[in-house]
């Protein structure tokens, strides 16, 4: 994990603990004395792909740096009901106060990683890469996109700041494809920014126009709501001059046909917003 990720993770988890704990975990404070050590294990209750081990350890250590955390499994590993993912030893108050945040993060991340892996498996052997989108939960994007990566997918732009994507409304408000491309290219050049430009095409006529005016300015063309046959025609027309991305209505029952049409990327918003959390539990170990 790089320093930027760790900094963002620390901020996210700090705020999440503050949100949950508020003025104090009174359920725990009322019956568990401070300083009493305890041990717990994470039990898997549903098959899938494990995700969030690093996050779980970070949560416990944020509250108690001396926490003893023993990983028995690793992120991206297939898990089965009955598996034990980790053992943690810390102050009992730490274990109880952090329990729900750990589970919320890992259950959500494991659900996303599991769904992502099911899409990745369909594309196995093909060069097409699977992308997520910005259809994420506000303030939880960092971990949702990390879960996609753990599941074998790739992250598209993280936010509005790390890539220029000219969608239909940008194009319409700007007066068309050519002026939108020129404005975006001039913006990047005048500010010395190293931002790639992607532009959406809604039909083959727009693909042709982008090919005419976008060389040297546009990196990727998004083929939005194209049929697999239209994607094949667009890829043939583009002829390697731009990267290609198919988007809109992508599902497990149709992405193979899009990949076989020769597109470089397929973006699926559902990797995140349609994922279902998996069942995990943190159980005390009483000796």
């Amino acid at each position: 994990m790089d320093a930027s990720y760790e900094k963002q993770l620390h901020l996210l988890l700090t705020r999440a603990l503050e949100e949950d704990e508020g003025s104090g975990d009174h359920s725990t404070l009322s019956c568990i004395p401070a300083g009493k050590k305890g041990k717990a294990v994470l039990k898997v209750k549903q098959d899938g792909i494990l995700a969030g081990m690093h996050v779980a350890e970070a949560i416990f250590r944020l509250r108690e740096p001396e926490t003893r955390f023993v990983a028995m499994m690793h992120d991206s590993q297939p898990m089965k009901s009955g598996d034990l993912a980790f053992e943690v030893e810390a102050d009992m108050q730490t274990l109880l106060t952090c329990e729900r945040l750990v589970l919320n993060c890992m259950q959500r991340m494991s659900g996303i990683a599991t769904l992502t892996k099911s899409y990745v498996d369909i594309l196995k052997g093909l060069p097409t890469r699977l992308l997520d989108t910005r259809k994420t939960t506000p303030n939880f994007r960092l971990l949702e996109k990390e879960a996609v990566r753990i599941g074998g997918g790739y992250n598209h732009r993280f936010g509005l700041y790390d890539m220029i994507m000219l969608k239909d409304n940008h194009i319409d408000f700007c007066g068309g494809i050519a002026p939108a491309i020129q404005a975006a290219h001039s913006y990047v050049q005048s500010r010395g920014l190293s931002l790639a430009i992607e532009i959406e095409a809604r039909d083959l006529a727009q693909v042709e126009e982008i090919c005419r005016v976008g060389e040297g300015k546009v990196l990727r063309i998004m083929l939005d709501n194209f049929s697999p046959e239209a994607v094949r025609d667009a890829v043939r027309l583009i002829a390697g001059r731009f990267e290609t991305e198919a988007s809109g209505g992508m599902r497990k029952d149709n992405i193979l046909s899009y990949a076989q049409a020769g597109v470089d990327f397929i973006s699926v918003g559902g990797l995140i917003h349609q994922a279902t959390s998996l069942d995990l539990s943190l159980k005390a170990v009483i000796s």
Side-chain angles (χ1 to χ4, degrees), residues 155-208:
N155 297 146
H156 206 313
R157 56 178 182 159
F158 192 85
L160 295 170
Y161 56 86
D162 56 352
M163 186 179 193
I164 289 181
M165 182 182 288
L166 304 175
K167 301 275 284 180
D168 53 355
N169 284 333
H170 296 94
I171 294 166
D172 291 343
F173 279 137
C174 198
I177 284 175
I181 290 175
Q182 187 54 52
H185 180 67
S186 297
Y187 178 90
V188 168
Q189 294 294 108
S190 65
R191 287 163 174 76
L193 301 174
S194 57
L195 293 177
I197 297 175
E198 179 172 2
I199 186 166
E200 177 182 300
R202 286 170 272 185
D203 53 41
L204 286 173
Q206 290 192 340
V207 172
E208 290 177 344

Side-chain angles (χ1 to χ4, degrees), residues 11-211:
L11 181 60
L12 184 158
L13 298 181
T14 298
R15 289 175 173 171
L17 274 172
E18 290 172 351
E19 175 189 56
D20 201 26
E21 191 172 5
S23 63
D25 174 8
H26 299 300
S27 302
T28 296
L29 294 172
S30 68
C31 63
I32 304 298
K36 190 172 183 179
K37 293 295 182 181
K39 186 184 297 183
V41 292
L42 186 84
K43 292 187 175 182
V44 175
K45 301 175 71 176
Q46 190 173 354
D47 295 359
I49 300 298
L50 181 64
M53 291 285 286
H54 174 72
V55 175
E57 182 175 2
I59 292 169
F60 288 120
R61 293 196 186 283
L62 179 60
R63 183 62 182 265
E64 186 177 329
E66 296 78 21
T67 293
R68 177 178 170 271
F69 187 94
V70 179
M72 302 170 185
M73 300 178 68
H74 58 78
D75 282 342
S76 79
Q77 183 175 344
M79 59 183 181
K80 293 190 176 297
S81 179
D83 286 344
L84 300 181
F86 66 73
E87 180 180 273
V88 58
E89 187 173 356
D91 191 301
M92 287 183 181
Q93 290 188 353
T94 295
L95 298 178
L96 290 166
T97 299
C98 294
E99 175 186 1
R100 179 44 54 192
L101 179 57
V102 167
L103 291 174
N104 285 347
C105 291
M106 290 196 69
Q107 289 178 158
R108 176 76 177 136
M109 292 180 71
S110 295
I112 293 169
T114 300
L115 182 58
T116 300
K117 180 63 163 55
S118 70
Y119 275 85
V120 170
D121 286 346
I122 295 171
L123 301 177
K124 188 174 182 179
L126 295 170
T128 305
R129 283 176 281 179
L130 181 70
L131 300 176
D132 56 23
T133 72
R134 284 174 49 246
K135 295 177 181 177
T136 58
T137 307
N139 297 319
F140 202 68
R141 181 176 298 176
L142 181 76
L143 299 189
E144 289 175 333
K145 282 183 167 281
E146 175 66 7
V148 168
R149 189 194 63 77
I150 290 170
Y154 293 82
N155 297 146
H156 206 313
R157 56 178 182 159
F158 192 85
L160 295 170
Y161 56 86
D162 56 352
M163 186 179 193
I164 289 181
M165 182 182 288
L166 304 175
K167 301 275 284 180
D168 53 355
N169 284 333
H170 296 94
I171 294 166
D172 291 343
F173 279 137
C174 198
I177 284 175
I181 290 175
Q182 187 54 52
H185 180 67
S186 297
Y187 178 90
V188 168
Q189 294 294 108
S190 65
R191 287 163 174 76
L193 301 174
S194 57
L195 293 177
I197 297 175
E198 179 172 2
I199 186 166
E200 177 182 300
R202 286 170 272 185
D203 53 41
L204 286 173
Q206 290 192 340
V207 172
E208 290 177 344
E209 184 176 1
I210 295 167
C211 288

Side-chain angles (χ1 to χ4, degrees), residues 234-255:
V235 168
R236 189 180 300 113
L237 181 64
I238 292 165
R241 289 174 287 174
F242 306 91
E243 293 180 353
T244 55
E245 175 185 336
S247 181
M250 298 297 156
R251 306 179 307 274
K252 283 194 281 187
D253 63 0
N254 68 9
I255 61 165

